[in-house]
Amino acid sequence: MTLESQIRAPSATPVDDAVLPFDVSALDVRGRLTKMGPALDEILTKHDYPAPVGKLLGEAIVLTTLLGSTLKFEGRFILQTQTDGPVSLIVVDFQAPDRLRAYARYDASKLKAGQDSAALLGHGHLAMTIDQGADMSRYQGLVALEGGNLEDAAHEYFLRSEQIPTRVRLAVGEEFRGGDGPKHCWRGGGMLMQFLPKAPERARQADLHPGDAPEGAVAHDVPEDDAWAESRALFGTIEDVELIDPDLSGERLLFRLFHERGVRVFPVQAIRAQCSCSREAVAGMLGSFTPKDRADMVENGKVVVTCEFCSSVYEFTPDEAGVVPEQKAAES
């Protein structure tokens, strides 16, 4: 196949719930772009979150999709935040190659008008965990959340853990439509771009501040590579509406950004919302509790378990839940 035969115009057909890998070899950058529609909407509407909470969880889902879709094995990528903010807990679980689920816990009494994602998060930490399976060790990276948003946390993670020049953009919004179709739905989009030159020294970054440098010490300075400076400038022109626009394809957005340099795209990776819970899995979970704990779960003659991720409800009789007769008698 000749080079000329590979060149084509960017597709005008939008593809939702998919990750589009790309490469701009002239600038030594690679990245991933995602546009999310029905899958994101399904996850968020199962819980009927207040709009600011839904937007924040949506941003976490978009970020997890960008990062989790890079896994080359059938493992899990789990993003979790624990903070003192109104949204105290976020969990997003990406099971490679394409399954996604998520939920958030929040204190409605702490929600106030005008709070952005950073205010909703507050202070705490963000954990990114790669689970390679039962017989493999886990890898976990931690980032402090100190009043910033998830984009800030992602940049800090790559600076400290991966040491790869990286930029991340996340956007989530509500779409309202007239007519006979759905009148309200959630949409999201995001992009991750990394500087990966063939010569490693070109990607060098300034040393992190040690925290105990003597007063007057000269800070370590590394000039920014021209290619990365240009890439960042182009990346900085992305607007939220471009990432969530249902009529703008990912290929056309990438062409807008990099057409002068030339951008190559690769096959998309489809993403779907699907929880891994099941009646059998919940029964197994109940079996891990002590007999007393199982007996304490009996209410109105049954044990009811609701999945935090998808809100599915599972009901068991005391016998099915493994509650022994003596415990049932003690409860009555």
Side-chain angles (χ1 to χ4, degrees), residues 135-157:
D135 300 325
M136 303 290 287
S137 59
R138 281 188 166 197
Y139 168 80
Q140 185 175 80
L142 291 175
V143 180
L145 292 170
E146 300 176 332
N149 58 27
L150 291 175
E151 288 182 6
D152 298 328
H155 293 151
E156 187 72 8
Y157 169 78

Side-chain angles (χ1 to χ4, degrees), residues 88-101:
S88 59
L89 177 70
I90 290 174
V91 180
V92 187
D93 180 7
F94 183 96
Q95 184 170 348
D98 60 1
R99 295 196 305 180
L100 189 66
R101 60 180 187 162

Side-chain angles (χ1 to χ4, degrees), residues 28-324:
D28 289 319
V29 298
R30 298 178 187 174
R32 310 175 79 76
L33 172 70
T34 185
K35 291 242 179 182
M36 303 192 70
L40 181 69
D41 186 63
E42 179 180 340
I43 294 172
L44 297 181
T45 54
K46 281 183 181 295
H47 295 272
D48 193 25
Y49 294 110
V53 178
K55 182 177 183 296
L56 174 59
L57 180 57
E59 291 169 352
I61 291 170
V62 172
L63 178 58
T64 302
T65 298
L66 290 170
L67 299 176
S69 60
T70 64
L71 296 182
K72 304 301 182 185
F73 50 86
E74 292 190 1
R76 285 185 130 95
F77 181 92
I78 303 165
L79 182 148
Q80 179 174 329
T81 67
Q82 288 186 295
T83 66
D84 61 2
V87 181
S88 59
L89 177 70
I90 290 174
V91 180
V92 187
D93 180 7
F94 183 96
Q95 184 170 348
D98 60 1
R99 295 196 305 180
L100 189 66
R101 60 180 187 162
Y103 75 94
R105 291 180 189 167
Y106 66 96
D107 184 342
S109 67
K110 293 183 178 180
L111 297 178
K112 299 178 181 178
Q115 288 175 316
D116 59 12
S117 295
L120 292 174
L121 283 171
H123 293 72
H125 71 267
L126 178 148
M128 301 184 190
T129 305
I130 297 176
D131 186 348
Q132 304 179 72
D135 300 325
M136 303 290 287
S137 59
R138 281 188 166 197
Y139 168 80
Q140 185 175 80
L142 291 175
V143 180
L145 292 170
E146 300 176 332
N149 58 27
L150 291 175
E151 288 182 6
D152 298 328
H155 293 151
E156 187 72 8
Y157 169 78
F158 281 103
L159 175 64
R160 294 184 177 275
S161 300
E162 302 292 330
Q163 297 183 337
I164 299 173
T166 303
R167 301 303 297 171
V168 173
R169 279 284 279 112
L170 308 171
V172 173
E174 298 174 272
E175 181 184 17
F176 297 89
R177 291 186 175 182
D180 298 330
K183 296 187 182 302
H184 170 274
C185 64
W186 287 96
R187 292 196 58 82
M191 183 170 163
L192 178 148
M193 179 181 72
Q194 295 185 308
F195 183 48
L196 298 166
K198 294 180 177 62
E201 61 271 15
R202 289 182 58 206
R204 288 183 60 205
Q205 301 184 81
D207 291 340
L208 298 173
H209 195 287
D212 58 356
E215 186 176 350
V218 178
H220 180 217
D221 184 34
V222 176
E224 188 172 56
D225 189 282
D226 290 343
W228 180 234
E230 180 180 343
S231 301
R232 288 186 59 181
L234 294 171
F235 189 88
T237 66
I238 300 172
E239 297 183 1
D240 286 1
V241 67
E242 294 179 298
L243 290 170
I244 63 178
D245 185 350
D247 299 319
L248 176 63
S249 72
E251 289 193 6
R252 282 198 165 181
L253 175 52
L254 290 173
F255 184 75
R256 282 182 183 179
L257 293 173
F258 302 114
H259 65 277
E260 291 186 356
R261 289 295 194 168
V263 56
R264 178 171 56 168
V265 297
F266 302 92
V268 297
Q269 299 172 238
I271 304 297
R272 58 195 171 111
Q274 181 176 329
C275 190
S276 59
C277 73
S278 66
R279 186 175 179 82
E280 293 73 20
V282 174
M285 179 270 295
L286 289 173
S288 68
F289 289 105
T290 66
K292 183 180 183 307
D293 287 338
R294 288 197 295 271
D296 291 340
M297 295 178 187
V298 179
E299 292 185 8
N300 300 320
K302 58 188 176 182
V303 175
V304 180
V305 179
T306 301
C307 176
E308 288 187 295
F309 285 99
C310 67
S311 298
S312 295
V313 178
Y314 298 93
E315 295 186 1
F316 300 86
T317 66
D319 288 336
E320 290 172 332
V323 180
V324 300

